[in-house]
Amino acid sequence: MSKERYIIDEREVELLARYEGTMAQDKDPHRYDTFEKETLADFCRMKDRSNDLFFKRYQAAREVIDLIAKQVGIDPENTGFWLYSPEVDGTSPIVKRMEEWFSRSGEKAQLKRRLQELEQENALLRSLIQK
């Protein structure tokens, strides 16, 4: 994946702002002042492990989203679509394409059932004509 895909732009900041719970500025800036140096070092190691785990989960989730996008005809490497977060209006191009895809597959299933019914009727009519 190209490095450009990981650059945070203003639109992404705006979209992701609605997912932020407690912001750093909402926390007491002096909450760690009384901790011992070793305790702070332990906190940092724990934070690093958590960040590594979350980043791996983020990469895996992006891969799944890219696979789904490809399946419904969206090229995640060369697209103007917003794939990794809902649009400002709450919609998603992947969901729209999936709805179209499922709708078409539903129509195909109906057509297959109808074709099977017609083939059965045709077989019945042929057997009646031959009698």
Side-chain angles (χ1 to χ4, degrees):
M1 288 184 203
S2 65
K3 289 183 180 180
E4 295 88 37
R5 292 186 65 195
Y6 294 105
I7 296 173
I8 297 176
D9 62 13
E10 290 177 24
R11 183 175 173 203
E12 185 173 10
V13 170
E14 177 187 339
L15 287 169
L16 296 178
R18 69 176 132 173
Y19 295 104
E20 295 180 23
T22 305
M23 301 280 296
Q25 58 267 28
D26 295 334
K27 296 176 185 168
D28 178 9
H30 304 290
R31 67 188 178 280
Y32 299 123
D33 291 349
T34 60
F35 289 109
E36 305 252 342
K37 183 177 178 181
E38 276 304 312
T39 303
L40 291 172
D42 288 342
F43 283 164
C44 289
R45 283 188 285 276
M46 189 171 27
K47 174 199 62 82
D48 289 345
R49 282 192 304 269
S50 294
N51 284 349
D52 290 345
L53 177 63
F54 291 134
F55 187 73
K56 288 176 184 177
R57 288 178 180 166
Y58 154 79
Q59 287 176 313
R62 278 185 80 134
E63 283 186 35
V64 169
I65 292 167
D66 288 350
L67 290 171
I68 293 168
K70 288 176 187 174
Q71 187 69 33
V72 297
I74 297 173
D75 180 3
E77 295 291 333
N78 184 20
T79 183
F81 290 123
W82 187 255
L83 298 178
Y84 307 108
S85 175
E87 294 284 350
V88 177
D89 64 358
T91 63
S92 166
I94 292 177
V95 172
K96 288 178 189 174
R97 289 277 180 96
M98 288 174 69
E99 287 170 348
E100 291 172 12
W101 193 77
F102 289 136
S103 173
R104 282 185 297 202
S105 65
E107 291 170 4
K108 287 178 186 176
Q110 288 175 343
L111 289 172
K112 284 181 181 179
R113 271 195 303 274
R114 184 64 182 136
L115 179 62
Q116 187 178 20
E117 289 171 3
L118 290 172
E119 286 174 345
Q120 289 172 349
E121 287 178 24
N122 188 13
L124 178 66
L125 290 172
R126 285 178 188 256
S127 68
L128 290 174
I129 291 173
Q130 290 176 357
K131 286 186 179 183

